[in-house]
Amino acid sequence: CDWSSDVCSSDLLITLLLGIFLLQVAGISIFHLPFGGFSIYLISLIILISLQDDLDCVLVGFIGGLIYDLNPSISSPMGEWAFIFTLIGYFYMSFKPVLHDILDRPVLGLVVFSGTMIAVLFIYEFLSAILGSNLGNITSVLLEIMFAAIWSILIGPIIMPALQKFNNLVISSKER
């Protein structure tokens, strides 16, 4: 890029998020997988947030949440996902010193990512209930959350190396 390295790296990250979002909406959500399927976008966004430095965690969470708010299959108000992922970004920013070695310990990383997926979905269901959405019965909500965590444990290790390489590319473009 010829312009500022921060703008260039932000463009790369937003392009990646939009690409994963399009893959999710146009490709993966078409297939009806067992136990509610998975959201590669949510898993990727959580991983990307965890890879960022300090305030970038919050920024990536907000932008990623805004992109997810555009999902046509979600009946939540605009901004709900942006708020949720801004909170998740703030969590990662606040606990970065404690979680700094997530990537060095794969088992810890899986626990943190699946725990984050559970937290994201609980926050979503809680906010949706407050905003008056019909959630269904508690058993189906808990099963959906449990299987989303299982899917994140299964899918996370597959896509994490590629996202780490991409993040390293973005960081190196900032440094140039």
Side-chain angles (χ1 to χ4, degrees):
C1 281
D2 295 324
W3 359 288
S4 164
S5 60
D6 286 343
V7 172
C8 180
S9 62
S10 297
D11 287 349
L12 288 172
L13 194 60
I14 291 170
T15 303
L16 175 70
L17 287 173
L18 285 171
I20 295 171
F21 176 74
L22 289 175
L23 175 69
Q24 176 70 42
V25 171
I28 294 174
S29 39
I30 292 173
F31 303 107
H32 297 288
L33 299 171
F35 310 114
F38 63 93
S39 175
I40 196 168
Y41 184 79
L42 292 180
I43 296 168
S44 298
L45 184 55
I46 291 169
I47 292 171
L48 284 171
I49 289 171
S50 73
L51 294 172
Q52 303 306 309
D53 296 327
D54 298 332
L55 194 56
D56 289 344
C57 292
V58 177
L59 182 63
V60 169
F62 177 73
I63 292 170
L66 278 179
I67 292 171
Y68 200 64
D69 278 327
L70 300 174
N71 193 341
S73 66
I74 295 176
S75 61
S76 63
M78 185 68 171
E80 184 176 3
W81 284 104
F83 176 70
I84 292 168
F85 278 108
T86 302
L87 286 177
I88 296 302
Y90 180 76
F91 166 79
Y92 272 98
M93 182 183 77
S94 299
F95 293 101
K96 199 65 159 178
V98 176
L99 301 172
H100 74 281
D101 61 347
I102 287 176
L103 302 177
D104 294 337
R105 299 180 184 172
V107 174
L108 175 64
L110 284 176
V111 169
V112 171
F113 294 136
S114 63
T116 303
M117 179 63 82
I118 291 169
V120 163
L121 294 176
F122 266 120
I123 293 169
Y124 171 72
E125 297 294 345
F126 177 73
L127 289 176
S128 295
I130 288 175
L131 295 172
S133 295
N134 184 10
L135 302 177
N137 65 20
I138 191 74
T139 306
S140 66
V141 170
L142 292 175
L143 281 174
E144 177 185 337
I145 291 172
M146 181 183 73
F147 285 117
I150 292 170
W151 277 113
S152 68
I153 289 172
L154 295 174
I155 302 297
I158 296 169
I159 60 175
M160 186 179 214
L163 292 175
Q164 285 176 310
K165 287 180 184 176
F166 180 83
N167 192 58
N168 292 340
L169 173 76
V170 169
I171 290 171
S172 69
S173 75
K174 275 185 181 181
E175 293 171 353
R176 279 189 259 152

